[in-house]
Amino acid sequence: MAAWSERLAGVRGVLLDISGVLHDSGEGGGVPIPGSVEALARLKRSQLKVRFCTNESQKSRGDLVGLLRHMGFDISEGEVTAPAPATCLILKERGLRPHLLIHDGIRSEFAQIDTSNPNCVVIADAGESFSYQNMNKAFQVLMELDNPVLISLGKGRYYKETSGLMLDVGAYTKALEYACGIKAEVVGKPAPGYFQSALQEMGVESHEAIMIGDDIVGDVGGAQRCGMRALQVRTGKFRPSDEHHPEVKADGYVDNLAEAVDLLLKYAHQ
Amino acid sequence: MAAWSERLAGVRGVLLDISGVLHDSGEGGGVPIPGSVEALARLKRSQLKVRFCTNESQKSRGDLVGLLRHMGFDISEGEVTAPAPATCLILKERGLRPHLLIHDGIRSEFAQIDTSNPNCVVIADAGESFSYQNMNKAFQVLMELDNPVLISLGKGRYYKETSGLMLDVGAYTKALEYACGIKAEVVGKPAPGYFQSALQEMGVESHEAIMIGDDIVGDVGGAQRCGMRALQVRTGKFRPSDEHHPEVKADGYVDNLAEAVDLLLKYAHQ
């Protein structure tokens, strides 16, 4: 692999995944990953532009930012690209009235959306609300539509909570896709449009941007397909086998956000 | 399409799906499909061999047969090919100790199986037991295995209960496959080995056998890939769009089992 100086040259903007990079989510909001609070502070003091790009869909953007600030992270709502607000824009544009298969923690994001007489299903990381009854209800709504539309907030396979690995929305989206014989529209990583809107909001071109995440497929692979570079951190859901993934090779593997920031501050902008 | 006399000529054995053909399952065991009790009786009085080939995995074979007999169907346990007993044989042969993600109604079938220190997951139609907790537990067991083995009792997309369409095991199997990046082994229709064992138990070659089912993919497509003919009934989970399925074309579509039996008694054996 080329030297870090070569791999990081010309980076002007950094997109940061949140869960598994800043903190591990879990009971009571989870815990910060050691070194990440200080690393983010250093990154934000640098000349690099920073934006957060998350698939978090259990908590509203406001609640998520509140939790992170409470842990000491320097983050504000306006810096976060999150799938629920992006989905609301799409629903309004297309006149879609969703049946919502979501966690109660994110329901407030959809307060302005008409959910009467649904003509689509929106699925997010519903956690405990992924009961058989709730899945079946969403399935039945889709099967009654002539043209079933399923919008999935991300397609993550799993994430890491403090108590262990947890199934993410992507698994349940696959279940509905298979049962209905349809394909979901993904709002979130790794959908190219989602990365592009985050880049636009950051004001950086893809070839000048780098993604830092713990998901080899959703973060690293997705960002690379958009022309960005991408680092995988060995925190969160990282597993050693990710470094030998059959399809995706990160531009670098680092122990944690702190190491990524050390390298960026040393070698970016050159 | 050719005349029925041509399509049914030479049939010596009939494989019958159960749910959606004999009865619609549901509260209290469900209800017989009109005409099916009498149609089965006529079929069994004929010279045609008859066997039942089901993916039922919520009830033990004994309970299922008891329910059907109570509705008036002429059926005995020895005539039924069901996935749970077939799975137990595989588990014993390969020294597999399953974590069971199954409905309580079928737990008795696994009474003789060692489930300590699991080295695989067996998933069946768990119904209400498909909770987030239970799905997550199965996922975690698989992720801890070096060589994760997932055995799925059928891969049905959905079935019809008296209260409506219900998600079947296949949807949840897809969820685990996606989350773990693995492929399940299917014991049940449409796995070729499953049809073949049913044919062997009936003592009829595939070219002399016909499958009757309500599932265009699992019953009809699966049986045809094994060299059998197959009829789809317009009962159970049948939907009008099935008659224009992009990949599977039945050898005939009939309103119900009664019409299928009328035709078989008239044209088979010629």
Side-chain angles (χ1 to χ4, degrees):
Chain A
M1 210 178 249
W4 280 110
S5 57
E6 202 174 310
R7 281 182 272 161
L8 300 180
V11 166
R12 287 184 52 238
V14 182
L15 276 188
L16 290 177
D17 180 30
I18 293 179
S19 175
V21 175
L22 300 188
H23 77 314
D24 280 322
S25 56
E27 278 300 308
V31 294
I33 289 168
S36 286
V37 169
E38 197 274 337
L40 176 61
R42 279 193 295 143
L43 185 61
K44 291 189 87 171
R45 281 196 303 270
S46 78
Q47 292 185 297
L48 294 165
K49 293 197 180 189
V50 178
R51 189 164 178 89
F52 304 89
C53 185
T54 179
N55 274 6
E56 171 65 49
S57 68
Q58 261 203 15
K59 295 179 194 73
S60 71
R61 186 159 54 167
D63 287 349
L64 175 63
V65 165
L67 266 169
L68 291 165
R69 290 180 66 87
H70 185 74
M71 290 179 197
F73 289 104
D74 175 3
I75 183 171
S76 63
E77 268 195 67
E79 295 172 314
V80 178
T81 299
T87 300
C88 289
L89 288 178
I90 291 170
L91 294 171
K92 283 178 186 164
E93 268 170 27
R94 289 165 53 185
L96 291 170
R97 301 179 305 277
H99 170 82
L100 298 169
L101 177 50
I102 62 177
H103 196 277
D104 281 340
I106 204 169
R107 213 163 279 275
S108 61
E109 297 271 24
F110 295 90
Q112 306 305 318
I113 300 292
D114 177 9
T115 57
S116 64
N117 187 21
N119 58 6
C120 76
V121 167
V122 165
I123 182 171
D125 174 19
E128 305 282 324
S129 296
F130 278 133
S131 65
Y132 185 65
Q133 291 90 331
N134 288 348
M135 279 292 285
N136 223 35
K137 177 66 195 165
F139 164 67
Q140 289 167 349
V141 168
L142 288 168
M143 290 297 273
E144 274 159 25
L145 297 174
D146 288 337
N147 177 28
V149 173
L150 174 61
I151 296 179
S152 179
L153 274 63
K155 55 184 265 190
R157 300 188 296 149
Y158 57 87
Y159 52 91
K160 193 186 168 202
E161 289 214 336
T162 44
S163 58
L165 297 181
M166 310 294 276
L167 284 171
D168 197 359
V169 59
Y172 286 90
T173 298
K174 283 286 164 192
L176 291 178
E177 285 184 338
Y178 177 70
C180 301
I182 61 175
K183 196 95 188 123
E185 302 176 27
V186 177
V187 180
K189 300 174 284 185
Y194 193 72
F195 282 111
Q196 277 145 14
S197 65
L199 286 173
Q200 211 162 32
E201 288 155 339
M202 185 162 62
V204 169
E205 300 282 330
S206 60
H207 70 276
E208 299 170 319
I210 196 161
M211 175 81 209
I212 301 177
D214 66 335
D215 187 322
I216 186 69
V217 174
D219 293 325
V220 175
Q224 289 177 333
R225 270 202 309 282
C226 288
M228 299 167 63
R229 284 164 272 184
L231 305 181
Q232 189 181 17
V233 287
R234 296 191 186 95
T235 53
K237 80 180 84 172
F238 167 83
R239 290 155 64 92
S241 59
D242 292 346
E243 296 194 34
H244 316 284
H245 192 279
E247 283 152 37
V248 183
K249 182 142 200 66
D251 294 279
Y253 302 87
V254 290
D255 283 343
N256 46 39
L257 179 62
E259 187 185 356
V261 169
D262 285 344
L263 290 164
L264 280 164
L265 297 188
K266 195 159 172 188
Y267 297 114
H269 259 312
Q270 295 187 329
Chain B
M1 210 177 245
W4 281 109
S5 57
E6 204 173 308
R7 282 182 271 160
L8 301 181
V11 166
R12 287 183 52 237
V14 182
L15 277 188
L16 291 175
D17 180 29
I18 293 179
S19 174
V21 175
L22 300 188
H23 77 313
D24 280 321
S25 55
E27 279 299 309
V31 293
I33 289 168
S36 285
V37 169
E38 197 274 336
L40 176 60
R42 280 193 294 143
L43 186 62
K44 293 189 86 170
R45 282 196 304 269
S46 77
Q47 290 185 297
L48 293 165
K49 293 197 180 190
V50 179
R51 189 165 177 88
F52 305 90
C53 185
T54 180
N55 274 8
E56 170 65 49
S57 67
Q58 261 203 14
K59 296 178 193 73
S60 71
R61 185 159 54 168
D63 288 347
L64 176 64
V65 165
L67 266 169
L68 292 165
R69 291 181 66 87
H70 184 73
M71 291 178 197
F73 289 104
D74 176 4
I75 184 172
S76 64
E77 269 195 66
E79 295 171 314
V80 178
T81 299
T87 300
C88 288
L89 288 177
I90 291 170
L91 294 171
K92 282 179 186 163
E93 269 171 27
R94 288 165 54 185
L96 291 169
R97 299 177 308 275
H99 170 80
L100 298 169
L101 177 49
I102 62 176
H103 195 277
D104 281 340
I106 206 169
R107 214 163 279 277
S108 61
E109 297 270 25
F110 295 90
Q112 305 305 317
I113 299 292
D114 178 7
T115 57
S116 65
N117 188 21
N119 57 7
C120 75
V121 167
V122 165
I123 183 171
D125 174 18
E128 305 282 323
S129 296
F130 278 133
S131 65
Y132 186 65
Q133 292 89 332
N134 288 348
M135 279 291 285
N136 223 35
K137 177 66 194 167
F139 164 66
Q140 289 168 349
V141 168
L142 287 168
M143 290 297 274
E144 275 160 25
L145 297 174
D146 288 336
N147 176 29
V149 172
L150 174 62
I151 296 179
S152 179
L153 275 62
K155 54 183 269 192
R157 300 188 295 148
Y158 58 87
Y159 53 89
K160 194 186 167 201
E161 287 214 338
T162 45
S163 59
L165 297 181
M166 310 293 276
L167 284 170
D168 198 359
V169 59
Y172 286 90
T173 297
K174 283 286 164 189
L176 292 177
E177 285 184 338
Y178 177 71
C180 301
I182 60 173
K183 196 96 187 117
E185 303 176 26
V186 177
V187 180
K189 301 174 283 184
Y194 193 71
F195 282 111
Q196 276 146 13
S197 66
L199 286 172
Q200 210 163 33
E201 287 154 340
M202 184 162 62
V204 169
E205 300 282 330
S206 61
H207 70 277
E208 299 170 319
I210 195 162
M211 174 81 208
I212 300 176
D214 66 334
D215 187 323
I216 185 70
V217 174
D219 293 325
V220 175
Q224 288 177 334
R225 269 203 309 283
C226 288
M228 298 167 63
R229 283 165 273 185
L231 304 181
Q232 188 181 18
V233 287
R234 297 193 186 94
T235 53
K237 80 179 82 171
F238 169 83
R239 289 156 64 92
S241 60
D242 291 347
E243 296 195 33
H244 316 284
H245 192 280
E247 283 153 36
V248 183
K249 180 141 202 65
D251 294 279
Y253 302 87
V254 290
D255 283 342
N256 46 41
L257 179 61
E259 187 186 355
V261 169
D262 284 346
L263 290 164
L264 281 164
L265 297 189
K266 196 159 171 190
Y267 298 115
H269 258 314
Q270 295 188 329

